[in-house]
């Protein structure tokens, strides 16, 4: 089946194909040595957790630093703008804090899942090798 000219432009002259697991590894990877390691996911989760902590600290410090600003700027035209800006930055840091907290748990959970699946897959392959019937000939 021929591809339309638009698809041929996107996919190249050869189009797309299908490879079997038993076929040679295509250029660019995707070989049988692909492993799902929990390390990068856990590390990313730790970074998200650290960002959550620092953004929570930023919200607290921003609030503390701005205490009394409105009282000390009474009569200035910028008082309203300062109050508005404080509210938007507090909301932004709060959103970052919340998202990093969510990512911390999600990334670590994904890492655990990958690690558990890798172990389960290795065990299944080990069992399959042991349980292979002998050739009768």
């Amino acid at each position: 089946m021929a591809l339309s000219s638009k698809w041929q432009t996107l996919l190249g002259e050869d189009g797309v194909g299908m490879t079997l697991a038993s076929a040679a590894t295509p250029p660019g990877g995707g070989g049988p040595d692909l492993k799902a390691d929990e390390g990068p996911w856990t590390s990313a989760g730790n970074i998200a957790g650290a960002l959550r902590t620092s953004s929570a600290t930023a919200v607290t410090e921003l609030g503390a630093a701005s205490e009394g600003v409105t009282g000390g700027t009474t009569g200035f035209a910028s008082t309203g703008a300062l109050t508005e800006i404080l509210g938007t930055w507090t909301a932004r840091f709060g959103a970052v804090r919340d998202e990093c907290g969510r990512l911390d748990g999600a990334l670590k959970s994904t890492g655990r899942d990958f690690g558990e699946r890798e172990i389960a897959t290795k065990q299944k392959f080990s069992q399959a090798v042991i349980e292979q019937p002998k050739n009768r000939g």
Side-chain angles (χ1 to χ4, degrees), residues 82-125:
L82 287 172
T83 303
E84 182 182 337
I85 291 169
L86 172 64
T88 61
W89 277 106
T90 301
R92 287 181 185 130
F93 281 127
V96 169
R97 176 201 59 217
D98 296 346
E99 181 64 9
C100 287
R102 185 192 69 77
L103 287 172
D104 179 18
L107 291 167
K108 288 177 181 175
S109 175
T110 300
R112 278 190 302 277
D113 290 348
F114 273 128
E116 290 169 3
R117 285 190 185 118
E118 186 72 12
I119 291 168
T121 301
K122 284 180 183 178
Q123 289 172 346
K124 286 179 183 178
F125 274 104

